Amino acid sequence: MSCNLSKAAFLQTFRKLSCVHSQLLLLRGVHVSQFKPPVVPTDIDPFPLFMEEGVQTILNDITGIDLKKTALLQPKKLPLKPVLRAVPDKELKRLQADSFKKERSKIEQRPPFMRARKEISRELARNPEIAPVMTNNLLFIDTSAFTRSERANKDKVVVVRDTEGTLRTATQEERDRAIQIAFPVRGRTIFPSSFFKPENLHNALQRCRYSYVLDKVCVQYDPDHPEFLRITKEIYDYILERMEFDALRGTRHFGSMAFYLSLCHREYELVLDMLERKLIVDVMDYIRLHRKIHSQEGSKGSLSKPLGYDKKNFEKLMGLYMKRITGNRKKQAEKMVESLLEAGLPEIIKENLSQRELIDSYLKLETNVY
Amino acid sequence: MSWIRVGFSATKNIIGYTSILPSTGCQGCSTSISPGYSLYQYTQIQSRNYSFVNKVGSDQLWGGVTSVSAAGRKRGRTKSVKRRINLNIGQKIGYGKKGMQLPGLNTWVLTKSNERIKAGSQTDEQYEITLDSIRDFRGSTKKSRLKRKYPNPLNRGYNSSLLNGTSLGMPAPVRDETFEGFDSVLIEGKKVTNITATEGKVFASRALVAVGNGNGLAGFAVAKAKHPEVAAIKARDKAGQRLMFVERYKGHTIHHNTHAEVHCTKLFAKRTYDGHGVVAHKVIKDLCRLSGIKDIYIKLEGNTKNRITMTTAFFNAMTHQETHQELANRTNMHVVEFSEERNNVPVVLASPEDGKVQEKYYGSERDVYDLDTLYTKGKLHWTRPQMRPVWERLRFTSYQRRMAKEFRRRGQHEAQKVRRLCGLEPSKEERMRRDEVPKKEE
């Protein structure tokens, strides 16, 4: 036990941790190690890159669809009666395809990775002569036509008349509150709950409820909100430190996380994790994405054409990738690749591809017809 | 003076009685009774010191007071009759007013140094006081009949006075087979009669006992004997040899909704979700516990008083289930579960073992293979919809007025909690300050 905690505190935290990996980390005392949190580069604008179609398809493919994960028991307020049915083969496939499609549409709604929004301060008019009449600030919202609540924050005009008599555009915080009152988003509160405070957030993370917290954050904040960026970064760093990428695989947050890691040049851990799980095709896609993000042309540069997924191309790609990394990491990666070659690389690739084809075949099935 | 006249014509006993009086009589009236002394001096006093008290035993004496005739007993006069009093209470041989030392009776014969203890005398003041207190205590407490001891609510059965619903332990071992982990419940103990030609009405007792290990094995039996406890044990051992296997889905509920009918008793069983619990008749709750079913809803209809038909109906329903695997094999289709808790993802519970799966639905099969009504001949157990109160249904004006009045306050308790979390709820002092009415300036 080489950590700095006292015995009682150690036991308390150990019991709280539900994942084996974090427990091991605690035992090793790694939580006090020199983990350097990734730094987001300022020179790249991530949003247009993220929204590119090629990038999105890669992120979809990496995430995959895991029906076993979606079928895990989720506690509801009232336990609803399960329905039993006897169905023939074709009908079962249709039903499965239905849930595959639903799952994919959920995954496609991944929160975009954006820069933090800028503060607005624009004075429209100054009338100090009406100041004696003004007792409070007056806030005006354009409620002329209903827009979708997701878009409302961007479209609507919100204007404030000060007690000093100046007419100005509302600050971002004022906008948020005003628009939530006029066009309420379901599940969002005007004053954010104390759940998002760092101490409470840490408690939830210790129980490995990453996707649950991320879903909550997505409801409460817009993706360009500075608070959103802070919390998501905290969670992604937490996962990176513990190498628990598998907890998010199959959810809509996996793509965002992979993009963030690649943007901050911390893709190595994820690549290693994929190699460990024998997801060769995913590794090839992910490295392609990484090279695209950090190519000199930036968002203008196009994605390299997908090479054929075979042994030769994999070795070539890994060789190129290995040139950039150095030292201890390089040795580790080389060792992994060697062990994969011994295990029979072509068979693994074939298995990965068949897995993807299965998902694609389900997504192509027509679900409306019996 | 009456007592003088009595003195002349008195029997010898009464004379003996009167002779005592002057010596203990009150001195205040000595002047008035002085002429009596002259008479007393000349009468010859005969006294024979015996009474029937010495001749008759105490049991016989008490019998005169406490006994009730046979006719009286029939009419319930034993209730009102006096009870026997222990007159020797608190007394002990060897201990008395004079706290005498009697070696061998209340002290040791020898001391430690092997010297004989001599009988000594000393007064014991405490003796009389304790004796009095014992007698007083007896007088103060109300003499009542024997009270029935009520068993602990956890140990007793359906009823505190009867044995029904209590556990009888595990059945007796048969050869080398022991019933470890089994428990039994006496469901019904009853007095039954048979009228014979020679003896008339002959009573016997009948017992219905169910046994089970709480893990799929259960059984029941009926037995008769002259004594109720003997009948219960007889039935318990019999039930141990008539065990049945009860199929369960994931060890907590049944596979599908079923029904069973025995004579006039109808039983409808519904499968429920994990954590629902057993909702049933008290007897069937016990049967579910013994057979290991944790979540079920059972409704009884028709004759709900006959416990034998009830138990047979229960076991009929439980043993005639079709498992999902059997259903899949029979129909050549997959058995699939949908639930909102699992995001409505189709979870395949069973598929045909031989691998020959039916391609598609044929004809009207789609309607038939709804598992809720498949085993109840297309019928569902009808439940009466819950009725809202009259004032709500007919929208009484008084009710509407009340709702309008409460409109502002409704849901404020929850909202207050949220405000407190966000730090928006004013503190107590702040609220008091706010509520103070500002004084009007004159």
Side-chain angles (χ1 to χ4, degrees):
Chain A
M1 241 186 275
S2 60
C3 58
N4 303 345
L5 294 169
S6 70
K7 200 180 174 188
F10 174 81
L11 275 175
Q12 209 174 9
T13 44
F14 189 80
R15 275 181 203 133
K16 264 187 194 173
L17 298 172
S18 54
C19 354
V20 181
H21 202 88
S22 12
Q23 282 176 349
L24 279 173
L25 279 176
L26 190 72
L27 279 171
R28 279 189 222 136
V30 179
H31 75 288
V32 251
S33 71
Q34 303 88 19
F35 172 72
K36 285 176 196 162
V39 185
V40 183
T42 47
D43 53 333
I44 304 172
D45 185 18
F47 184 61
L49 253 173
F50 185 87
M51 292 310 287
E52 250 177 61
E53 208 178 324
V55 175
Q56 286 291 320
T57 48
I58 285 182
L59 293 181
N60 279 345
D61 288 345
I62 288 173
T63 312
I65 296 170
D66 193 359
L67 274 196
K68 275 183 188 169
K69 212 168 204 174
T70 46
L72 282 179
L73 206 67
Q74 292 163 352
K76 296 265 156 108
K77 217 172 192 182
L78 281 171
L80 294 153
K81 214 174 102 186
V83 179
L84 288 177
R85 265 160 67 185
V87 291
D89 213 20
K90 224 174 184 180
E91 174 72 0
L92 178 68
K93 272 201 179 143
R94 191 189 70 80
L95 289 164
Q96 277 173 342
D98 210 21
S99 49
F100 263 105
K101 278 183 182 174
K102 266 185 202 165
E103 203 50 36
R104 173 48 68 88
S105 73
K106 264 186 204 169
I107 286 166
E108 276 170 358
Q109 294 171 22
R110 65 174 62 82
F113 195 83
M114 297 169 87
R115 275 176 178 170
R117 67 194 178 186
K118 281 169 190 164
E119 198 53 57
I120 325 160
S121 55
R122 195 149 60 86
E123 207 174 278
L124 299 173
R126 180 171 286 189
N127 308 92
E129 60 273 15
I130 62 164
V133 189
M134 301 287 288
T135 52
N136 295 79
N137 285 4
L138 288 179
L139 193 133
F140 303 94
I141 318 172
D142 172 23
T143 58
S144 57
F146 180 75
T147 52
R148 282 174 65 207
S149 50
E150 298 93 68
R151 288 291 309 159
N153 207 353
K154 303 281 169 247
D155 294 350
K156 290 294 165 187
V157 178
V158 183
V159 176
V160 175
R161 175 75 78 173
D162 265 350
T163 45
E164 287 145 23
T166 52
L167 187 71
R168 61 175 174 80
T169 52
T171 60
Q172 291 286 14
E173 203 191 338
E174 282 169 342
R175 276 184 71 92
D176 279 351
R177 266 158 52 190
I179 287 167
Q180 176 57 19
I181 289 164
F183 304 100
V185 176
R186 201 173 171 195
R188 187 179 286 187
T189 50
I190 296 169
F191 298 96
S193 110
S194 61
F195 177 80
F196 300 114
K197 281 179 185 170
E199 61 267 25
N200 298 345
L201 202 67
H202 193 69
N203 199 3
L205 292 183
Q206 273 190 341
R207 283 148 206 261
C208 295
R209 306 196 65 185
Y210 307 125
S211 73
Y212 172 77
V213 178
L214 283 166
D215 280 339
K216 280 216 145 196
V217 177
C218 285
V219 172
Q220 183 60 40
Y221 298 110
D222 285 336
D224 60 346
H225 199 286
E227 196 73 350
F228 178 89
L229 292 168
R230 178 188 72 78
I231 294 165
T232 48
K233 189 179 182 313
E234 201 170 301
I235 296 166
Y236 294 155
D237 292 356
Y238 195 90
I239 293 168
L240 178 65
E241 194 184 345
R242 262 139 249 263
M243 298 270 284
E244 284 177 350
F245 308 109
D246 202 42
L248 284 189
R249 187 170 281 124
T251 67
R252 61 176 175 154
H253 304 290
F254 186 78
S256 307
M257 185 187 64
F259 187 84
Y260 162 78
L261 291 176
S262 172
L263 198 70
C264 310
H265 289 286
R266 295 296 289 264
E267 81 297 333
Y268 170 75
E269 281 89 344
L270 185 52
V271 167
L272 205 69
D273 184 67
M274 282 170 173
L275 285 175
E276 237 171 76
R277 288 171 201 281
K278 295 181 181 175
L279 302 168
I280 306 296
V281 179
D282 286 3
V283 171
M284 287 168 86
D285 274 347
Y286 189 48
I287 290 171
R288 208 148 57 82
L289 175 75
H290 181 66
R291 285 172 71 188
K292 147 81 185 162
I293 290 169
H294 294 288
S295 62
Q296 286 178 347
E297 294 105 41
S299 58
K300 285 168 199 166
S302 60
L303 264 171
S304 59
K305 277 181 185 174
L307 299 162
Y309 298 110
D310 53 13
K311 189 184 167 187
K312 196 179 158 190
N313 283 331
F314 174 69
E315 279 174 347
K316 198 175 158 190
L317 204 66
M318 282 309 286
L320 281 172
Y321 177 68
M322 233 90 94
K323 276 179 191 171
R324 296 189 180 183
I325 49 176
T326 50
N328 202 11
R329 292 177 156 198
K330 196 170 185 177
K331 280 178 192 169
Q332 215 174 347
E334 275 171 355
K335 210 181 258 179
M336 285 297 301
V337 173
E338 267 176 33
S339 67
L340 277 171
L341 284 170
E342 278 172 20
L345 198 65
E347 288 160 23
I348 296 169
I349 290 173
K350 202 180 261 179
E351 202 183 310
N352 286 341
L353 284 173
S354 71
Q355 199 69 248
R356 278 199 183 179
E357 273 165 23
L358 187 82
I359 293 172
D360 282 347
S361 68
Y362 269 118
L363 291 175
K364 277 171 195 167
L365 259 180
E366 277 187 42
T367 52
N368 295 329
V369 192
Y370 282 110
Chain B
M1 295 301 220
S2 61
W3 58 272
I4 298 162
R5 247 178 279 137
V6 168
F8 281 112
S9 59
T11 57
K12 49 195 170 181
N13 274 331
I14 291 171
I15 290 166
Y17 181 63
T18 50
S19 67
I20 305 157
L21 277 171
S23 60
T24 56
C26 55
Q27 288 167 358
C29 15
S30 59
T31 47
S32 61
I33 57 169
S34 53
Y37 276 89
S38 55
L39 271 173
Y40 162 68
Q41 283 165 359
Y42 303 114
T43 46
Q44 210 174 25
I45 299 160
Q46 284 187 338
S47 68
R48 283 166 207 167
N49 296 325
Y50 85 95
S51 78
F52 69 94
V53 177
N54 296 340
K55 294 252 164 179
V56 185
S58 71
D59 286 344
Q60 213 173 338
L61 274 173
W62 276 113
V65 189
T66 57
S67 66
V68 187
S69 67
R73 196 170 289 138
K74 272 186 184 172
R75 285 167 195 161
R77 283 186 195 142
T78 38
K79 269 188 180 177
S80 58
V81 91
K82 275 188 179 175
R83 314 231 93 209
R84 192 170 170 167
I85 300 164
N86 185 8
L87 296 172
N88 299 325
I89 197 163
Q91 288 176 345
K92 204 176 169 188
I93 292 171
Y95 298 90
K97 248 188 234 173
K98 291 183 176 177
M100 285 178 72
Q101 252 187 1
L102 304 165
L105 190 62
N106 59 7
T107 55
W108 298 105
V109 180
L110 298 172
T111 58
K112 278 179 185 174
S113 52
N114 283 354
E115 288 171 26
R116 273 186 184 282
I117 295 170
K118 288 173 186 172
S121 68
Q122 62 193 87
T123 52
D124 190 357
E125 293 169 359
Q126 198 59 35
Y127 177 75
E128 276 196 356
I129 298 167
T130 50
L131 207 62
D132 284 345
S133 68
I134 286 167
R135 284 173 184 164
D136 284 350
F137 177 73
R138 193 174 59 176
S140 67
T141 50
K142 214 177 181 182
K143 268 154 271 166
S144 58
R145 309 231 130 215
L146 268 175
K147 265 193 176 179
R148 189 201 294 149
K149 277 183 184 173
Y150 283 98
N152 190 309
L154 292 173
N155 296 334
R156 73 172 178 226
Y158 311 133
N159 188 324
S160 62
S161 64
L162 300 172
L163 273 175
N164 292 1
T166 50
S167 171
L168 299 171
M170 54 185 181
V174 182
R175 295 198 193 97
D176 293 341
E177 292 288 319
T178 53
F179 292 88
E180 266 175 39
F182 276 81
D183 191 21
S184 60
V185 167
L186 174 64
I187 289 166
E188 191 187 28
K190 202 177 181 183
K191 216 174 190 183
V192 287
T193 56
N194 180 27
I195 294 172
T196 58
T198 51
E199 295 170 39
K201 220 178 199 181
V202 177
F203 287 98
S205 47
R206 190 185 72 191
L208 167 63
V209 175
V211 299
N213 65 348
N215 197 18
L217 272 180
F220 74 100
V222 185
K224 274 187 211 168
K226 283 208 168 173
H227 202 266
E229 284 162 14
V230 177
I233 285 162
K234 208 171 157 187
R236 183 195 71 185
D237 298 346
K238 207 170 154 189
Q241 296 175 39
R242 298 182 176 186
L243 294 177
M244 288 171 259
F245 182 67
V246 176
E247 286 277 359
R248 291 166 300 155
Y249 171 67
K250 282 184 181 173
H252 74 96
T253 187
I254 50 174
H255 280 85
H256 51 77
N257 299 353
T258 52
H259 82 294
E261 203 172 321
V262 176
H263 296 306
C264 279
T265 311
K266 291 174 199 164
L267 183 140
F268 295 87
K270 278 183 185 175
R271 77 191 290 275
T272 47
Y273 51 85
D274 197 0
H276 176 274
V278 178
V279 180
H281 189 275
K282 60 186 175 184
V283 165
I284 285 167
K285 266 184 195 171
D286 269 342
L287 294 176
C288 287
R289 182 173 60 81
L290 291 172
S291 53
I293 294 166
K294 280 149 202 160
D295 307 297
I296 202 169
Y297 173 86
I298 289 182
K299 175 77 183 164
L300 282 175
E301 275 181 14
N303 187 357
T304 54
K305 287 182 180 177
N306 192 339
R307 301 222 167 144
I308 294 177
T309 53
M310 215 185 275
T311 42
T312 42
F314 175 79
F315 279 104
N316 279 357
M318 293 303 113
T319 49
H320 283 82
Q321 285 181 71
E322 187 178 34
T323 60
H324 297 324
Q325 189 59 56
E326 284 166 4
L327 177 72
N329 288 347
R330 183 164 66 83
T331 57
N332 288 332
M333 289 203 255
H334 301 284
V335 179
V336 180
E337 187 192 45
F338 299 88
S339 63
E340 210 138 293
E341 285 175 309
R342 294 183 187 278
N343 288 325
N344 280 330
V345 173
V347 181
V348 180
L349 300 177
S351 40
E353 274 173 337
D354 55 355
K356 288 174 189 169
V357 191
Q358 193 172 302
E359 184 78 347
K360 57 177 184 178
Y361 284 122
Y362 295 112
S364 62
E365 275 176 356
R366 202 188 306 158
D367 311 324
V368 178
Y369 289 105
D370 173 23
L371 298 205
D372 280 351
T373 54
L374 182 61
Y375 301 96
T376 50
K377 292 171 191 171
K379 284 177 188 173
L380 263 180
H381 179 247
W382 187 73
T383 47
R384 188 185 290 275
Q386 207 181 8
M387 284 284 260
R388 305 300 303 166
V390 180
W391 54 84
E392 207 173 309
R393 262 186 295 142
L394 300 184
R395 298 193 176 186
F396 285 6
T397 44
S398 58
Y399 175 70
Q400 279 185 323
R401 210 181 296 138
R402 197 185 121 202
M403 294 311 278
K405 218 174 174 182
E406 284 180 356
F407 176 70
R408 281 188 165 192
R409 273 179 286 147
R410 207 178 303 148
Q412 280 303 305
H413 189 68
E414 292 299 314
Q416 198 183 33
K417 282 180 195 166
V418 176
R419 266 181 265 140
R420 200 164 284 154
L421 271 175
C422 301
L424 293 174
E425 187 66 11
S427 63
K428 200 179 174 185
E429 293 126 30
E430 207 174 323
R431 200 185 296 158
M432 276 167 67
R433 214 181 304 136
R434 202 172 59 181
D435 288 348
E436 271 175 19
V437 184
K439 281 177 186 174
K440 283 180 185 174
E441 288 177 17
E442 290 174 4

